[in-house]
Amino acid sequence: MSQPLASDFFSSEHTDHHALFENDPLVWELLSEIKPYLQFRLQPENHGHVIGHPVIGEQVYIGEGTVIEPGVYIEGPAWIGKNCRIRHGAYLRENVITGDDCVLGNSCEFKNCLLLNGAQVPHFSYIGDSILGYQAHLGAGVICSNLRTDQKSVKVDWKGERIDTGRRKFGAIIGDRVEVGCQAVLNPGTLLGPGSMVHPGAIVTGTLAEGAVAKNPNMIRMSD
């Protein structure tokens, strides 16, 4: 039975954390590797620029050129790459890894997640137990829901199969260069292929193929 691999969604050349992608794991296995990866490899240092008095935990690495704005709370463990912008009110909980040139925006919450280089989450989003690919971009208010309402293990749809991941918490896999419109909700276990697009306000469940578009059927287009 075919199963979704990391290489189906991401190019590992767009991250310094190549060890996470060794042997091309299943996409949800990456989520389980974030915590031990940080435990064994993280060396806390701050090479960035801190503005005001954000709260930064002891187990945090911040790369050169990264700016941490006032009101940020970084619990850690966290590994933040170079030339990132962590904006006012961002809340980074445990086990967060970002690549270089990422934006973690105002009033956004991050937990057990991996962002590859150039990923942007600028405003009012929740990113839990999820992975964002190279130059993936989320519009304002996008939610990566990571827990089913019935709290059962999350299943994914892949090539005609329904696969039980065994994970109680699993948000979204957002491939390289994916665009997600404002106020979209990605339900647990959503898989977005590279270069795909989700329209604003859409509620998405399942798998979106590479380059495909998920439209919002409730969107109204006004004309003269």
Side-chain angles (χ1 to χ4, degrees):
M1 180 177 64
S2 175
Q3 298 195 69
L5 304 174
S7 60
D8 292 313
F9 299 87
F10 313 111
S11 175
S12 61
E13 67 181 284
H14 298 301
T15 179
D16 290 334
H17 304 283
H18 303 289
L20 288 168
F21 293 86
E22 289 181 356
N23 303 317
D24 200 12
L26 299 175
V27 286
W28 55 84
E29 290 179 347
L30 282 171
L31 296 171
S32 299
E33 292 302 316
I34 294 173
K35 180 177 179 179
Y37 180 86
L38 289 171
Q39 285 178 332
F40 289 105
R41 294 175 181 261
L42 179 66
Q43 297 182 5
E45 293 182 84
N46 184 359
H47 300 285
H49 176 56
V50 176
I51 302 174
H53 301 282
V55 177
I56 301 175
E58 294 181 358
Q59 296 299 309
V60 176
Y61 176 89
I62 300 171
E64 295 178 2
T66 288
V67 176
I68 311 293
E69 296 184 1
V72 168
Y73 190 110
I74 306 176
E75 178 181 340
W79 190 324
I80 300 168
K82 300 176 183 177
N83 302 315
C84 296
R85 190 85 185 194
I86 316 299
R87 293 178 177 165
H88 176 80
Y91 178 26
L92 282 64
R93 293 168 55 191
E94 68 276 11
N95 305 320
V96 173
I97 300 174
T98 84
D100 301 336
D101 305 304
C102 292
V103 175
L104 284 71
N106 62 295
S107 303
C108 293
E109 180 179 345
F110 301 83
K111 173 255 180 184
N112 194 55
C113 58
L114 169 64
L115 281 66
L116 275 65
N117 296 348
Q120 296 190 10
V121 188
H123 321 278
F124 309 110
S125 291
Y126 175 69
I127 311 299
D129 299 282
S130 298
I131 305 174
L132 276 68
Y134 172 64
Q135 292 186 345
H137 175 263
L138 307 189
V142 172
I143 303 300
C144 296
S145 177
N146 64 339
L147 180 67
R148 288 172 46 136
T149 304
D150 59 12
Q151 300 194 22
K152 293 182 179 179
S153 64
V154 176
K155 297 179 174 62
V156 299
D157 296 322
W158 184 251
K159 297 185 178 181
E161 301 285 344
R162 185 78 167 153
I163 304 170
D164 191 341
T165 67
R167 292 188 61 92
R168 179 171 168 268
K169 291 192 175 183
F170 177 17
I173 299 298
I174 301 171
D176 291 344
R177 298 185 178 90
V178 168
E179 289 282 344
V180 182
C182 296
Q183 300 294 328
V185 176
L186 309 180
N187 283 318
T190 295
L191 308 179
L192 304 181
S196 61
M197 178 184 295
V198 175
H199 278 197
I203 300 175
V204 181
T205 299
T207 298
L208 191 60
E210 180 174 356
V213 177
K215 298 182 178 181
N216 179 359
N218 298 315
M219 187 177 294
I220 300 173
R221 183 181 298 278
M222 307 299 291
S223 60
D224 294 337

